[in-house]
Amino acid sequence: MGSPRITVINDNPDFLELMGAILDDESGYEVRLLDGDETGLEELQETSPDLIIVDLLLGRASGWELIALARADATLREVPIIVCSADVNQLRERAEELADIGGVHMLKKPFAVDELTSLVDDLIGQPAGR
């Protein structure tokens, strides 16, 4: 069995590169990086993720919309989601809504690398060989 698959959706190329470096290069997960401006449900399904990390504000797209679509989709319904956002006010305002959705966890930017990797490890386990 291969390493757990993580799909990261963000509209910031620097953030995507950083997440790839932390989760793939350093931690050994299989990581797919998707441009939040271009990503829809079909692209998300194609990555067959074990975990989804999504920002709330994705340029033209909405992280909230992707979360709702994932929870309505039979293949993605049970996949844990980490909402990674600097919009602390919106996270606070919608904390109850996120809790009601189920399987959605919050990670506020900026975050420490070990905070990210610890949450990921807790949700999907460590890659083989780490």
Side-chain angles (χ1 to χ4, degrees):
M1 186 165 117
S3 292
R5 293 175 308 281
I6 301 172
T7 299
V8 181
I9 306 163
N10 199 289
D11 63 342
N12 181 325
D14 293 334
F15 182 80
L16 288 172
E17 187 177 322
L18 174 66
M19 294 296 276
I22 293 169
L23 295 171
D24 191 339
D25 301 344
E26 292 180 24
S27 297
Y29 291 102
E30 184 181 320
V31 179
R32 292 284 307 274
L33 306 172
L34 300 179
D35 180 347
D37 265 346
E38 309 294 327
T39 301
L41 181 61
E42 190 174 306
E43 291 83 7
L44 183 55
Q45 289 169 326
E46 288 172 2
T47 67
S48 301
D50 295 305
L51 173 69
I52 299 165
I53 300 176
V54 62
D55 195 354
L56 294 179
L57 306 173
L58 298 170
R60 295 174 301 188
S62 162
W64 293 111
E65 185 178 309
L66 282 173
I67 291 168
L69 289 170
R71 285 299 173 254
D73 181 78
T75 62
L76 299 172
R77 185 171 295 132
E78 302 299 321
V79 175
I81 297 172
I82 297 175
V83 175
C84 187
S85 179
D87 191 345
V88 176
N89 289 333
Q90 183 142 178
L91 287 176
R92 202 175 292 127
E93 287 172 13
R94 298 184 99 167
E96 193 173 306
E97 183 181 341
L98 288 172
D100 288 345
I101 293 171
V104 178
H105 309 268
M106 291 183 275
L107 182 63
K108 296 176 189 138
K109 294 178 191 172
F111 53 83
V113 170
D114 61 341
E115 189 179 4
L116 169 66
T117 55
S118 176
L119 179 57
V120 170
D121 289 349
D122 287 348
L123 293 174
I124 60 173
Q126 293 184 355
R130 191 172 101 196

Tab-separated table of all heavy atoms in Angstrom, residues 13-64:
chain	number	residue	atom	x	y	z
A	13	PRO	N	0.458	30.146	-5.404
A	13	PRO	CA	1.483	29.186	-5.833
A	13	PRO	C	2.592	28.992	-4.795
A	13	PRO	O	3.094	27.880	-4.635
A	13	PRO	CB	2.053	29.782	-7.121
A	13	PRO	CG	1.046	30.779	-7.570
A	13	PRO	CD	0.290	31.243	-6.372
A	14	ASP	N	2.968	30.046	-4.083
A	14	ASP	CA	4.008	29.925	-3.052
A	14	ASP	C	3.549	29.022	-1.911
A	14	ASP	O	4.313	28.212	-1.386
A	14	ASP	CB	4.410	31.301	-2.502
A	14	ASP	CG	5.107	32.157	-3.549
A	14	ASP	OD1	5.717	31.596	-4.483
A	14	ASP	OD2	5.034	33.398	-3.434
A	15	PHE	N	2.277	29.170	-1.513
A	15	PHE	CA	1.734	28.329	-0.452
A	15	PHE	C	1.686	26.877	-0.901
A	15	PHE	O	2.036	25.971	-0.147
A	15	PHE	CB	0.333	28.808	-0.044
A	15	PHE	CG	-0.261	28.001	1.075
A	15	PHE	CD1	0.104	28.230	2.389
A	15	PHE	CD2	-1.180	26.987	0.814
A	15	PHE	CE1	-0.428	27.478	3.432
A	15	PHE	CE2	-1.714	26.231	1.837
A	15	PHE	CZ	-1.343	26.480	3.153
A	16	LEU	N	1.260	26.649	-2.144
A	16	LEU	CA	1.218	25.283	-2.670
A	16	LEU	C	2.613	24.657	-2.670
A	16	LEU	O	2.781	23.500	-2.271
A	16	LEU	CB	0.630	25.266	-4.080
A	16	LEU	CG	-0.865	25.526	-4.191
A	16	LEU	CD1	-1.284	25.668	-5.639
A	16	LEU	CD2	-1.671	24.424	-3.505
A	17	GLU	N	3.603	25.421	-3.098
A	17	GLU	CA	4.976	24.922	-3.123
A	17	GLU	C	5.459	24.583	-1.709
A	17	GLU	O	6.081	23.547	-1.486
A	17	GLU	CB	5.883	25.981	-3.748
A	17	GLU	CG	7.300	25.512	-3.969
A	17	GLU	CD	8.146	26.574	-4.663
A	17	GLU	OE1	7.639	27.282	-5.550
A	17	GLU	OE2	9.336	26.676	-4.287
A	18	LEU	N	5.145	25.445	-0.747
A	18	LEU	CA	5.518	25.206	0.641
A	18	LEU	C	4.866	23.931	1.174
A	18	LEU	O	5.525	23.095	1.800
A	18	LEU	CB	5.127	26.409	1.508
A	18	LEU	CG	5.334	26.249	3.006
A	18	LEU	CD1	6.820	26.141	3.337
A	18	LEU	CD2	4.702	27.409	3.759
A	19	MET	N	3.572	23.766	0.916
A	19	MET	CA	2.862	22.574	1.396
A	19	MET	C	3.428	21.310	0.751
A	19	MET	O	3.553	20.281	1.412
A	19	MET	CB	1.363	22.699	1.126
A	19	MET	CG	0.695	23.806	1.914
A	19	MET	SD	0.745	23.558	3.687
A	19	MET	CE	-0.679	22.508	3.880
A	20	GLY	N	3.765	21.393	-0.529
A	20	GLY	CA	4.391	20.247	-1.193
A	20	GLY	C	5.721	19.895	-0.548
A	20	GLY	O	6.028	18.726	-0.328
A	21	ALA	N	6.507	20.913	-0.230
A	21	ALA	CA	7.817	20.680	0.402
A	21	ALA	C	7.655	20.047	1.783
A	21	ALA	O	8.363	19.106	2.136
A	21	ALA	CB	8.599	21.994	0.500
A	22	ILE	N	6.708	20.553	2.561
A	22	ILE	CA	6.510	20.036	3.926
A	22	ILE	C	5.933	18.626	3.905
A	22	ILE	O	6.437	17.728	4.585
A	22	ILE	CB	5.562	20.958	4.729
A	22	ILE	CG1	6.219	22.320	4.972
A	22	ILE	CG2	5.174	20.303	6.060
A	22	ILE	CD1	5.257	23.368	5.527
A	23	LEU	N	4.858	18.412	3.133
A	23	LEU	CA	4.120	17.159	3.220
A	23	LEU	C	4.656	16.057	2.315
A	23	LEU	O	4.561	14.884	2.649
A	23	LEU	CB	2.642	17.409	2.907
A	23	LEU	CG	1.922	18.304	3.920
A	23	LEU	CD1	0.541	18.679	3.402
A	23	LEU	CD2	1.834	17.629	5.277
A	24	ASP	N	5.221	16.409	1.183
A	24	ASP	CA	5.743	15.409	0.254
A	24	ASP	C	7.229	15.199	0.498
A	24	ASP	O	7.656	14.131	0.938
A	24	ASP	CB	5.481	15.863	-1.183
A	24	ASP	CG	5.756	14.773	-2.207
A	24	ASP	OD1	6.500	13.822	-1.905
A	24	ASP	OD2	5.242	14.879	-3.325
A	25	ASP	N	8.016	16.232	0.262
A	25	ASP	CA	9.470	16.107	0.347
A	25	ASP	C	9.947	15.731	1.747
A	25	ASP	O	10.777	14.841	1.910
A	25	ASP	CB	10.153	17.414	-0.087
A	25	ASP	CG	9.783	17.809	-1.516
A	25	ASP	OD1	9.264	16.947	-2.251
A	25	ASP	OD2	10.008	18.972	-1.875
A	26	GLU	N	9.434	16.401	2.771
A	26	GLU	CA	9.914	16.171	4.143
A	26	GLU	C	9.168	15.060	4.866
A	26	GLU	O	9.767	14.317	5.631
A	26	GLU	CB	9.815	17.463	4.963
A	26	GLU	CG	10.781	18.541	4.512
A	26	GLU	CD	10.667	19.816	5.335
A	26	GLU	OE1	10.196	19.755	6.493
A	26	GLU	OE2	11.032	20.872	4.813
A	27	SER	N	7.864	14.956	4.654
A	27	SER	CA	7.061	14.015	5.438
A	27	SER	C	6.738	12.718	4.711
A	27	SER	O	6.341	11.743	5.334
A	27	SER	CB	5.760	14.684	5.887
A	27	SER	OG	6.038	15.780	6.732
A	28	GLY	N	6.855	12.686	3.381
A	28	GLY	CA	6.680	11.449	2.636
A	28	GLY	C	5.273	11.110	2.199
A	28	GLY	O	5.014	9.995	1.745
A	29	TYR	N	4.346	12.044	2.316
A	29	TYR	CA	2.996	11.793	1.805
A	29	TYR	C	3.004	11.965	0.289
A	29	TYR	O	3.876	12.603	-0.273
A	29	TYR	CB	1.990	12.781	2.404
A	29	TYR	CG	1.743	12.572	3.874
A	29	TYR	CD1	2.334	13.399	4.820
A	29	TYR	CD2	0.918	11.552	4.326
A	29	TYR	CE1	2.111	13.210	6.176
A	29	TYR	CE2	0.693	11.356	5.675
A	29	TYR	CZ	1.295	12.184	6.590
A	29	TYR	OH	1.070	11.987	7.924
A	30	GLU	N	2.001	11.403	-0.355
A	30	GLU	CA	1.800	11.626	-1.790
A	30	GLU	C	0.891	12.845	-1.902
A	30	GLU	O	-0.262	12.810	-1.476
A	30	GLU	CB	1.140	10.395	-2.407
A	30	GLU	CG	0.976	10.483	-3.895
A	30	GLU	CD	0.282	9.254	-4.459
A	30	GLU	OE1	0.570	8.127	-4.013
A	30	GLU	OE2	-0.562	9.435	-5.349
A	31	VAL	N	1.428	13.945	-2.439
A	31	VAL	CA	0.705	15.212	-2.421
A	31	VAL	C	0.356	15.666	-3.831
A	31	VAL	O	1.194	15.645	-4.725
A	31	VAL	CB	1.550	16.307	-1.707
A	31	VAL	CG1	0.807	17.642	-1.708
A	31	VAL	CG2	1.878	15.887	-0.286
A	32	ARG	N	-0.902	16.074	-4.007
A	32	ARG	CA	-1.361	16.702	-5.254
A	32	ARG	C	-1.704	18.142	-4.930
A	32	ARG	O	-2.417	18.414	-3.960
A	32	ARG	CB	-2.610	16.000	-5.791
A	32	ARG	CG	-2.390	14.596	-6.283
A	32	ARG	CD	-1.714	14.520	-7.652
A	32	ARG	NE	-2.350	15.298	-8.692
A	32	ARG	CZ	-3.353	14.899	-9.465
A	32	ARG	NH1	-3.848	13.687	-9.321
A	32	ARG	NH2	-3.859	15.682	-10.391
A	33	LEU	N	-1.204	19.065	-5.728
A	33	LEU	CA	-1.413	20.486	-5.517
A	33	LEU	C	-2.349	21.012	-6.599
A	33	LEU	O	-2.070	20.846	-7.787
A	33	LEU	CB	-0.071	21.232	-5.560
A	33	LEU	CG	0.998	20.707	-4.603
A	33	LEU	CD1	2.332	21.387	-4.859
A	33	LEU	CD2	0.560	20.879	-3.153
A	34	LEU	N	-3.459	21.626	-6.188
A	34	LEU	CA	-4.440	22.116	-7.146
A	34	LEU	C	-4.627	23.622	-6.986
A	34	LEU	O	-4.757	24.131	-5.876
A	34	LEU	CB	-5.794	21.426	-6.942
A	34	LEU	CG	-5.824	19.903	-7.105
A	34	LEU	CD1	-7.227	19.374	-6.837
A	34	LEU	CD2	-5.368	19.502	-8.496
A	35	ASP	N	-4.675	24.320	-8.116
A	35	ASP	CA	-4.918	25.755	-8.138
A	35	ASP	C	-6.379	26.012	-7.775
A	35	ASP	O	-7.290	25.567	-8.469
A	35	ASP	CB	-4.601	26.299	-9.534
A	35	ASP	CG	-4.825	27.792	-9.665
A	35	ASP	OD1	-5.452	28.407	-8.777
A	35	ASP	OD2	-4.368	28.352	-10.667
A	36	GLY	N	-6.589	26.721	-6.683
A	36	GLY	CA	-7.941	26.983	-6.207
A	36	GLY	C	-8.805	27.749	-7.176
A	36	GLY	O	-10.031	27.648	-7.136
A	37	ASP	N	-8.188	28.535	-8.066
A	37	ASP	CA	-8.963	29.271	-9.064
A	37	ASP	C	-9.595	28.346	-10.097
A	37	ASP	O	-10.597	28.682	-10.709
A	37	ASP	CB	-8.061	30.268	-9.812
A	37	ASP	CG	-8.113	31.658	-9.208
A	37	ASP	OD1	-9.020	31.932	-8.405
A	37	ASP	OD2	-7.240	32.466	-9.550
A	38	GLU	N	-8.989	27.189	-10.304
A	38	GLU	CA	-9.396	26.293	-11.391
A	38	GLU	C	-10.057	25.007	-10.916
A	38	GLU	O	-10.525	24.227	-11.720
A	38	GLU	CB	-8.153	25.905	-12.222
A	38	GLU	CG	-7.316	27.070	-12.685
A	38	GLU	CD	-8.048	27.955	-13.678
A	38	GLU	OE1	-8.866	27.421	-14.453
A	38	GLU	OE2	-7.829	29.179	-13.647
A	39	THR	N	-10.073	24.755	-9.609
A	39	THR	CA	-10.468	23.446	-9.098
A	39	THR	C	-11.970	23.340	-8.859
A	39	THR	O	-12.570	24.194	-8.223
A	39	THR	CB	-9.726	23.146	-7.778
A	39	THR	OG1	-8.328	23.180	-8.042
A	39	THR	CG2	-10.090	21.772	-7.251
A	40	GLY	N	-12.524	22.241	-9.362
A	40	GLY	CA	-13.917	21.909	-9.107
A	40	GLY	C	-13.992	20.501	-8.543
A	40	GLY	O	-12.971	19.851	-8.300
A	41	LEU	N	-15.191	20.019	-8.361
A	41	LEU	CA	-15.398	18.701	-7.773
A	41	LEU	C	-14.722	17.603	-8.591
A	41	LEU	O	-14.097	16.704	-8.032
A	41	LEU	CB	-16.895	18.421	-7.638
A	41	LEU	CG	-17.254	17.076	-7.011
A	41	LEU	CD1	-16.709	16.968	-5.590
A	41	LEU	CD2	-18.753	16.868	-7.030
A	42	GLU	N	-14.823	17.667	-9.914
A	42	GLU	CA	-14.255	16.617	-10.761
A	42	GLU	C	-12.738	16.496	-10.565
A	42	GLU	O	-12.205	15.400	-10.433
A	42	GLU	CB	-14.582	16.903	-12.225
A	42	GLU	CG	-14.241	15.755	-13.149
A	42	GLU	CD	-14.726	16.028	-14.565
A	42	GLU	OE1	-15.924	16.313	-14.745
A	42	GLU	OE2	-13.882	15.942	-15.472
A	43	GLU	N	-12.046	17.647	-10.539
A	43	GLU	CA	-10.589	17.622	-10.343
A	43	GLU	C	-10.246	17.058	-8.970
A	43	GLU	O	-9.295	16.301	-8.815
A	43	GLU	CB	-9.989	19.040	-10.478
A	43	GLU	CG	-10.041	19.602	-11.874
A	43	GLU	CD	-11.383	20.244	-12.209
A	43	GLU	OE1	-12.253	20.389	-11.326
A	43	GLU	OE2	-11.572	20.593	-13.384
A	44	LEU	N	-11.030	17.417	-7.984
A	44	LEU	CA	-10.813	16.911	-6.627
A	44	LEU	C	-11.023	15.396	-6.576
A	44	LEU	O	-10.202	14.664	-6.009
A	44	LEU	CB	-11.747	17.631	-5.660
A	44	LEU	CG	-11.619	17.298	-4.180
A	44	LEU	CD1	-10.198	17.492	-3.684
A	44	LEU	CD2	-12.585	18.149	-3.372
A	45	GLN	N	-12.081	14.902	-7.195
A	45	GLN	CA	-12.346	13.461	-7.229
A	45	GLN	C	-11.197	12.696	-7.886
A	45	GLN	O	-10.826	11.609	-7.433
A	45	GLN	CB	-13.634	13.170	-8.004
A	45	GLN	CG	-14.885	13.586	-7.299
A	45	GLN	CD	-16.094	13.516	-8.218
A	45	GLN	OE1	-16.004	13.773	-9.411
A	45	GLN	NE2	-17.251	13.182	-7.645
A	46	GLU	N	-10.645	13.244	-8.952
A	46	GLU	CA	-9.578	12.573	-9.700
A	46	GLU	C	-8.322	12.343	-8.867
A	46	GLU	O	-7.541	11.449	-9.170
A	46	GLU	CB	-9.222	13.370	-10.956
A	46	GLU	CG	-10.289	13.292	-12.031
A	46	GLU	CD	-10.027	14.230	-13.203
A	46	GLU	OE1	-8.987	14.922	-13.217
A	46	GLU	OE2	-10.887	14.270	-14.104
A	47	THR	N	-8.122	13.131	-7.813
A	47	THR	CA	-6.923	12.964	-6.987
A	47	THR	C	-7.069	11.841	-5.966
A	47	THR	O	-6.097	11.460	-5.332
A	47	THR	CB	-6.565	14.275	-6.246
A	47	THR	OG1	-7.576	14.572	-5.267
A	47	THR	CG2	-6.392	15.432	-7.211
A	48	SER	N	-8.272	11.298	-5.799
A	48	SER	CA	-8.549	10.225	-4.831
A	48	SER	C	-7.871	10.474	-3.485
A	48	SER	O	-7.084	9.651	-3.009
A	48	SER	CB	-8.086	8.871	-5.389
A	48	SER	OG	-8.726	8.583	-6.591
A	49	PRO	N	-8.189	11.596	-2.840
A	49	PRO	CA	-7.461	11.954	-1.621
A	49	PRO	C	-7.864	11.151	-0.394
A	49	PRO	O	-9.012	10.705	-0.275
A	49	PRO	CB	-7.831	13.427	-1.430
A	49	PRO	CG	-9.218	13.526	-1.993
A	49	PRO	CD	-9.213	12.591	-3.178
A	50	ASP	N	-6.896	10.980	0.507
A	50	ASP	CA	-7.170	10.466	1.851
A	50	ASP	C	-7.384	11.638	2.806
A	50	ASP	O	-7.881	11.463	3.912
A	50	ASP	CB	-6.000	9.611	2.344
A	50	ASP	CG	-5.835	8.366	1.499
A	50	ASP	OD1	-6.819	7.610	1.354
A	50	ASP	OD2	-4.737	8.138	0.958
A	51	LEU	N	-6.967	12.830	2.365
A	51	LEU	CA	-7.108	14.060	3.140
A	51	LEU	C	-7.143	15.233	2.170
A	51	LEU	O	-6.410	15.237	1.177
A	51	LEU	CB	-5.922	14.232	4.108
A	51	LEU	CG	-5.831	15.552	4.874
A	51	LEU	CD1	-6.966	15.655	5.903
A	51	LEU	CD2	-4.487	15.675	5.565
A	52	ILE	N	-7.982	16.221	2.464
A	52	ILE	CA	-8.073	17.438	1.663
A	52	ILE	C	-7.678	18.612	2.548
A	52	ILE	O	-8.161	18.730	3.681
A	52	ILE	CB	-9.516	17.656	1.142
A	52	ILE	CG1	-9.954	16.480	0.254
A	52	ILE	CG2	-9.626	18.986	0.400
A	52	ILE	CD1	-11.462	16.423	-0.001
A	53	ILE	N	-6.806	19.467	2.040
A	53	ILE	CA	-6.463	20.718	2.722
A	53	ILE	C	-6.881	21.839	1.794
A	53	ILE	O	-6.432	21.900	0.648
A	53	ILE	CB	-4.951	20.799	3.034
A	53	ILE	CG1	-4.531	19.636	3.934
A	53	ILE	CG2	-4.624	22.153	3.681
A	53	ILE	CD1	-3.039	19.575	4.224
A	54	VAL	N	-7.768	22.715	2.283
A	54	VAL	CA	-8.337	23.751	1.423
A	54	VAL	C	-8.357	25.095	2.142
A	54	VAL	O	-8.598	25.164	3.344
A	54	VAL	CB	-9.754	23.344	0.939
A	54	VAL	CG1	-10.714	23.197	2.101
A	54	VAL	CG2	-10.298	24.308	-0.100
A	55	ASP	N	-8.104	26.166	1.395
A	55	ASP	CA	-8.243	27.518	1.900
A	55	ASP	C	-9.696	27.949	1.698
A	55	ASP	O	-10.391	27.408	0.841
A	55	ASP	CB	-7.295	28.451	1.121
A	55	ASP	CG	-7.094	29.802	1.786
A	55	ASP	OD1	-7.763	30.092	2.799
A	55	ASP	OD2	-6.251	30.576	1.295
A	56	LEU	N	-10.144	28.908	2.492
A	56	LEU	CA	-11.519	29.397	2.339
A	56	LEU	C	-11.650	30.341	1.162
A	56	LEU	O	-12.627	30.307	0.432
A	56	LEU	CB	-11.967	30.128	3.612
A	56	LEU	CG	-12.098	29.259	4.842
A	56	LEU	CD1	-12.522	30.115	6.031
A	56	LEU	CD2	-13.074	28.131	4.617
A	57	LEU	N	-10.652	31.201	0.979
A	57	LEU	CA	-10.690	32.205	-0.077
A	57	LEU	C	-9.790	31.758	-1.215
A	57	LEU	O	-8.573	31.687	-1.057
A	57	LEU	CB	-10.239	33.560	0.479
A	57	LEU	CG	-11.002	34.035	1.715
A	57	LEU	CD1	-10.373	35.291	2.288
A	57	LEU	CD2	-12.471	34.256	1.391
A	58	LEU	N	-10.390	31.451	-2.345
A	58	LEU	CA	-9.641	30.877	-3.466
A	58	LEU	C	-9.784	31.729	-4.724
A	58	LEU	O	-10.073	31.218	-5.794
A	58	LEU	CB	-10.145	29.462	-3.753
A	58	LEU	CG	-9.983	28.443	-2.638
A	58	LEU	CD1	-10.732	27.162	-2.965
A	58	LEU	CD2	-8.508	28.150	-2.397
A	59	GLY	N	-9.598	33.010	-4.623
A	59	GLY	CA	-9.764	33.846	-5.807
A	59	GLY	C	-11.218	33.847	-6.230
A	59	GLY	O	-12.084	34.277	-5.495
A	60	ARG	N	-11.497	33.307	-7.394
A	60	ARG	CA	-12.876	33.269	-7.897
A	60	ARG	C	-13.699	32.163	-7.257
A	60	ARG	O	-14.912	32.217	-7.233
A	60	ARG	CB	-12.877	33.078	-9.411
A	60	ARG	CG	-12.267	34.240	-10.160
A	60	ARG	CD	-12.170	33.919	-11.604
A	60	ARG	NE	-11.346	32.702	-11.737
A	60	ARG	CZ	-10.925	32.207	-12.866
A	60	ARG	NH1	-11.259	32.773	-13.982
A	60	ARG	NH2	-10.173	31.133	-12.898
A	61	ALA	N	-13.058	31.124	-6.781
A	61	ALA	CA	-13.770	29.978	-6.205
A	61	ALA	C	-13.945	30.166	-4.697
A	61	ALA	O	-13.405	31.089	-4.110
A	61	ALA	CB	-12.991	28.699	-6.486
A	62	SER	N	-14.677	29.273	-4.085
A	62	SER	CA	-14.919	29.330	-2.647
A	62	SER	C	-14.562	27.991	-2.013
A	62	SER	O	-15.031	26.936	-2.451
A	62	SER	CB	-16.390	29.634	-2.395
A	62	SER	OG	-16.744	29.302	-1.075
A	63	GLY	N	-13.738	28.055	-0.984
A	63	GLY	CA	-13.420	26.839	-0.237
A	63	GLY	C	-14.658	26.241	0.411
A	63	GLY	O	-14.803	25.024	0.495
A	64	TRP	N	-15.576	27.118	0.853
A	64	TRP	CA	-16.828	26.626	1.446
A	64	TRP	C	-17.596	25.785	0.447
A	64	TRP	O	-18.158	24.745	0.801
A	64	TRP	CB	-17.705	27.799	1.896
A	64	TRP	CG	-17.124	28.577	3.021
A	64	TRP	CD1	-16.639	29.845	2.961
A	64	TRP	CD2	-16.941	28.144	4.366
A	64	TRP	NE1	-16.172	30.225	4.193
A	64	TRP	CE2	-16.347	29.190	5.074
A	64	TRP	CE3	-17.228	26.960	5.037
A	64	TRP	CZ2	-16.032	29.110	6.420
A	64	TRP	CZ3	-16.903	26.875	6.389
A	64	TRP	CH2	-16.325	27.929	7.058
